[in-house]
Amino acid sequence: MVRRLRKNRKTQQVYDYARNRKRMSQKDRRNGSIRNAEVRAAYDKTKNPARNIREMGLAFDVNRAIPIPNVRTQIKDMEKALSGQKMKSGLRKSRSAPKQYVAEQMEEEANEFNGSRFRIARSMVRKITAMIDRYGFNYQAMAKDRSNYEQETWRQFRSKVRRFLRIPEQCTPYLEEKGWIDCDMSDPTDPRWKEFCTDDES
C-alpha cells in the first residue's frame, strides 16, 4: 500500500500591523545628515544631491571629475597628432559655480594646521614623571629600576620621555611644578636637561 504524503499549506504572508508604513517610507527616503557645516548651510533640499554638490564647486562623482586615462584613446590621439589631423579637446569649459565659496572655505579649513592630537596615557605620564624625579634623564638607571616590570630598555625610556616633553598640554603642569617652565630645554650647558647614557650625548 502506497502511503500518501500530507500536503502542507503554504505559509501565507501576514500583514504586520505594528509597523508604521509612513515612518518607514520617510526613513527610506532620508539620505542622512550632512556633517559639514558649510555644505549643510548651502544645501538646497529642492535640488538633487549631484546638482547641489556641483553648484558648490565640489565633485559628486570622483571618477567623472578625474577620469582614468584610457590607453586606446591615448594611442589614437598620438596617431592623429603624428598624422597631422585635428584633435578634439576633451576638456570642457568649466563654468563658475554659484556657491564656490563653500569649496574655498573647506580648502582653508583643510590647510589649517591644528597641531598633533596625540596624547600619552595618564598611567604612562605618572610613570615617566616618577622616573624623571628619581633619576633625572639617566635612562639606563630607569631601565635598571625595580619597578620596570615590562623590562623596557633605556632607548624605550628615552623615546617616551622625549615624546612626553614634546606634548605641551601634558608636560607644562609638570614643568611648572618642578619650576622648569622658564628654562631652555635646548641649552646644553644646563645640567638639569643633560641626558645620560645615550648614544647621541655630546
Side-chain angles (χ1 to χ4, degrees):
M1 181 178 177
V2 180
R3 189 175 181 181
R4 298 184 64 182
L5 298 175
R6 185 182 296 173
K7 292 183 179 180
N8 294 328
R9 294 181 62 186
K10 293 183 179 179
T11 56
Q12 297 177 354
Q13 291 183 353
V14 182
Y15 188 83
D16 192 359
Y17 290 93
R19 297 274 185 176
N20 191 336
R21 304 292 167 180
K22 182 179 178 181
R23 194 176 298 162
M24 287 173 63
S25 62
Q26 288 176 353
K27 186 177 180 181
D28 292 338
R29 286 197 299 268
R30 202 177 297 131
N31 293 325
S33 59
I34 302 171
R35 296 182 180 180
N36 191 278
E38 290 82 6
V39 176
R40 185 170 60 247
Y43 195 87
D44 189 1
K45 294 182 179 179
T46 59
K47 300 176 183 177
N48 59 353
R51 187 175 178 184
N52 267 301
I53 297 299
R54 204 182 308 116
E55 287 181 353
M56 295 177 196
L58 304 173
F60 183 75
D61 189 1
V62 183
N63 295 324
R64 290 187 63 185
I66 309 172
I68 300 172
N70 192 350
V71 180
R72 291 184 179 179
T73 55
Q74 287 180 350
I75 293 171
K76 288 180 181 179
D77 292 340
M78 288 175 63
E79 290 175 353
K80 288 180 181 179
L82 292 172
S83 62
Q85 297 179 5
K86 292 183 179 180
M87 295 173 58
K88 294 182 180 179
S89 61
L91 299 175
R92 298 179 180 178
K93 294 182 179 179
S94 59
R95 299 177 182 177
S96 60
K99 299 177 183 178
Q100 184 66 29
Y101 62 90
V102 178
E104 294 173 357
Q105 288 176 359
M106 292 178 68
E107 189 175 358
E108 289 177 3
E109 289 182 1
N111 292 332
E112 289 179 358
F113 179 69
N114 296 326
S116 177
R117 296 182 180 178
F118 179 78
R119 298 292 180 271
I120 302 175
R122 293 180 182 178
S123 59
M124 186 58 64
V125 171
R126 287 195 295 268
K127 181 179 179 180
I128 291 170
T129 53
M131 288 291 184
I132 295 174
D133 292 339
R134 204 173 298 167
Y135 302 108
F137 293 95
N138 191 343
Y139 302 119
Q140 284 197 1
M142 294 181 187
K144 293 177 182 178
D145 191 85
R146 295 181 65 181
S147 63
N148 185 15
Y149 303 117
E150 291 82 6
Q151 296 185 357
E152 293 177 326
T153 62
W154 64 268
R155 284 189 174 88
Q156 290 174 322
F157 275 109
R158 182 184 64 182
S159 65
K160 288 181 179 180
V161 169
R162 290 180 178 178
R163 192 184 305 164
F164 167 69
L165 294 174
R166 282 197 298 267
I167 303 173
E169 289 81 1
Q170 289 185 311
C171 72
T172 302
Y174 174 72
L175 296 177
E176 288 178 350
E177 183 184 349
K178 297 284 287 185
W180 296 350
I181 193 67
D182 296 330
C183 301
D184 188 10
M185 297 173 62
S186 60
D187 187 7
T189 60
D190 195 346
R192 289 173 294 185
W193 304 109
K194 182 174 175 57
E195 292 182 333
F196 298 92
C197 303
T198 60
D199 50 3
D200 57 349
E201 62 179 346
S202 56

